[in-house]
Amino acid sequence: MAPVISPVRTSDDFPPATVVCVIGGGIVGLTAALVLAERGVPVVVLEKGRLAGEQSSRNLGWIRKMGRSVADVPLARAADALWAGLAARVGEDVGYRQAGILYLARTRAEMDMHRSWLDAVRDLSLESRLVTAAQIDELVPRGQGQWAGGIHTPSDGRAEPTRAASAIARAAMQKGAVIVEQCAVRTLVLEGGRTTGVVTERGVIRCEQVLLAGGLWSRRFLGNLGVGLPTLPLICSALRTAPMEGMGEIAVGAPDFSFRKRMDGGYTITQRGALDAPLTMEHLRIGMRYLPTLRQQGGHLRIGIGREFVADLALARHWRETDISPFERVRVWDPAANGVIIREAMTNLGVAWPEFRAARIVQSWAGAMDITPDSLPAIGAVAKMPGLTLASGFSGHGFGTSLAAGELAADLLMGEAPIVDPAPYRLERFSRGGR
């Protein structure tokens, strides 16, 4: 069962032209639209299904700098300030709380990993610090886990995925953006080698710039145009509990569970050490590019072949603008939660904090993430398609940086000074290897 998203009344209109078309109504694309609307730029967002229907509403809601690639920290820091001001900006509480995040380690080797990361970001003036087992007991009392220590960043936080994108969409529309749901973009209009519009299932919209923020669908969209974006899917299963008291406000991540407080008083929980890795044809095409990551993270993956392989085969990789596109055939990818992983999460958490043994599970769900070989997104111009900018491949940790990522994309497509250096996110870094 998918999370219940705060409803948004989108437009029934279909404008023939605009300045910017955004493909994808997830939180990054919606943020870019809000930024553009605030700057007085006409913008239309086109969503094949419903706003935030996939990973933007299914993620865990963590907003963190801790544990990120050094190259990704500036974007995360920029996002912190934007999250802090979002409620005032959109006129709604989206659940942002800067209550801190704590990572736990059971072994000396795990502590060494946290120590190495802390050394790598030491010049970035973060508030992260190593903590002892005794300090963990002070931060999150009544636990019974045996910890070698941990790492704590008090300036990290959380927000509600089912609220944030919707609030951003409403604010963008109030400032003039047009948002159309149930309208898939099939391909681009190209004239003289430049992007001059989009072909949708309802007709053509002319525009000067296009932002592709299609999440895990961006690879297939670009592939039809002869452009490579290496992403593979991973599926995270999560659950939420009924409201419960006493566990505090800090979000906690251990090697085999995580939990964070929700606005409704319950907790969002996952088995942090287990992700489903459904094999598809894409693994045969680009899987070798992920070998370094597989060597490091392979123990977290539940690799299997099943319905996803067949479903992927059934979807076209090449189509014409007059054809029904894959995006019309699958409006929302709604993977089933893995019951084994859900039970593992609750069992592991209950051992460490016995109070969770009495928690009542209200709902479980799963979300598919688009993972790049280096776990960094691609944000920037697509050189082969002038007028097309990309913002995809957030690899399961894009919610936290989404406000800065959307602004960065808007800066780049309008030729403005970027909020952060975009160099780490250039699509060209993937130029070697297959599509």
Side-chain angles (χ1 to χ4, degrees):
M1 183 186 301
V4 178
I5 304 167
S6 175
V8 179
R9 176 65 188 270
T10 54
S11 178
D12 294 325
D13 297 331
F14 186 78
T18 187
V19 173
V20 178
C21 277
V22 177
I23 303 173
I27 191 167
V28 173
L30 291 169
T31 298
L34 174 59
V35 172
L36 292 168
E38 289 171 336
R39 296 176 182 176
V41 178
V43 57
V44 175
V45 179
L46 299 161
E47 166 54 44
K48 64 182 174 57
R50 63 169 306 187
L51 297 185
E54 294 177 317
Q55 192 58 12
S56 289
S57 63
R58 297 164 188 256
N59 66 83
L60 305 180
W62 293 37
I63 298 169
R64 62 176 178 85
K65 301 172 290 295
M66 190 166 66
R68 287 186 181 271
S69 163
V70 174
D72 206 30
V73 170
L75 193 70
R77 293 183 65 177
D80 274 356
L82 294 169
W83 278 109
L86 185 62
R89 184 180 180 187
V90 302
E92 297 183 42
D93 183 2
V94 300
Y96 176 67
R97 306 290 186 267
Q98 198 173 36
I101 292 177
L102 171 67
Y103 283 166
L104 305 176
R106 287 196 176 95
T107 66
R108 180 177 296 180
E110 290 168 358
M111 279 301 294
D112 287 343
M113 291 176 59
H114 293 318
R115 190 174 288 107
S116 294
W117 178 83
L118 195 57
D119 289 342
V121 300
R122 197 166 299 282
D123 294 337
L124 299 179
S125 301
L126 303 181
E127 299 177 4
S128 305
R129 65 185 181 107
L130 298 178
V131 294
T132 65
Q135 290 169 323
I136 291 169
D137 289 339
E138 293 175 2
L139 290 167
V140 192
R142 299 185 299 281
Q144 294 185 3
Q146 302 298 312
W147 308 114
I151 184 169
H152 178 221
T153 304
S155 60
D156 283 348
R158 65 180 192 269
E160 294 300 333
T162 55
R163 291 173 173 258
S166 297
I168 291 167
R170 285 188 283 265
M173 287 188 292
Q174 289 171 3
K175 296 180 183 300
V178 176
I179 300 176
V180 184
E181 292 180 297
Q182 299 294 317
C183 184
V185 176
R186 291 176 173 175
T187 191
L188 302 178
V189 178
L190 299 172
E191 296 176 334
R194 180 172 180 81
T195 304
T196 59
V198 296
V199 180
T200 81
E201 61 183 293
R202 293 173 56 180
V204 172
I205 300 179
R206 293 283 177 172
C207 61
E208 299 174 17
Q209 298 282 340
V210 173
L211 173 62
L212 175 59
L216 58 87
W217 298 99
S218 293
R219 171 173 168 77
R220 196 173 294 261
F221 185 92
L222 290 173
N224 189 49
L225 297 167
V227 177
L229 170 64
T231 59
L232 291 176
L234 288 180
I235 296 176
C236 177
S237 293
L239 65 98
R240 66 181 176 94
T241 72
M244 53 186 294
E245 298 294 333
M247 294 307 303
E249 297 291 323
I250 296 176
V252 177
D256 56 6
F257 66 80
S258 73
F259 63 91
R260 64 97 176 164
K261 190 80 169 180
R262 300 170 53 91
M263 278 184 73
D264 59 17
Y267 284 83
T268 296
I269 296 168
T270 190
Q271 210 289 46
R272 190 163 169 259
L275 296 167
D276 280 311
L279 295 179
T280 67
M281 283 296 293
E282 302 308 293
H283 289 80
L284 300 179
R285 299 172 59 142
I286 61 172
M288 294 294 291
R289 305 181 71 167
Y290 290 79
L291 284 180
T293 301
L294 185 62
R295 293 188 187 104
Q296 292 180 346
Q297 306 291 336
H300 296 323
L301 304 182
R302 307 287 172 90
I303 300 172
I305 186 168
R307 69 179 71 177
E308 293 84 5
F309 188 89
V310 176
D312 179 68
L313 279 180
L315 290 178
R317 283 176 170 73
H318 298 284
W319 59 92
R320 298 167 299 180
E321 64 181 47
T322 54
D323 295 336
I324 295 175
S325 68
F327 321 115
E328 295 152 77
R329 298 189 185 280
V330 183
R331 299 285 179 179
V332 176
W333 187 6
D334 185 19
N338 185 321
V340 173
I341 290 177
I342 293 296
R343 290 189 292 274
E344 287 177 6
M346 292 306 295
T347 297
N348 299 341
L349 178 52
V351 170
W353 272 276
E355 290 177 51
F356 278 103
R357 295 174 187 170
R360 180 170 63 87
I361 298 175
V362 175
Q363 183 185 26
S364 62
W365 67 90
M369 306 173 290
D370 52 336
I371 310 297
T372 65
D374 60 8
S375 294
L376 290 177
I379 308 174
V382 178
K384 293 182 179 180
M385 301 282 170
L388 175 63
T389 299
L390 176 64
S392 292
F394 285 88
S395 300
H397 47 251
F399 180 78
T401 58
S402 59
L403 302 190
E407 184 163 332
L408 176 60
D411 292 340
L412 294 174
L413 67 86
M414 296 306 297
E416 304 284 347
I419 186 173
V420 299
D421 181 1
Y425 307 113
R426 294 174 70 245
L427 177 63
E428 289 75 14
R429 74 186 193 273
F430 299 128
S431 59
R432 284 187 276 184
R435 288 207 300 259

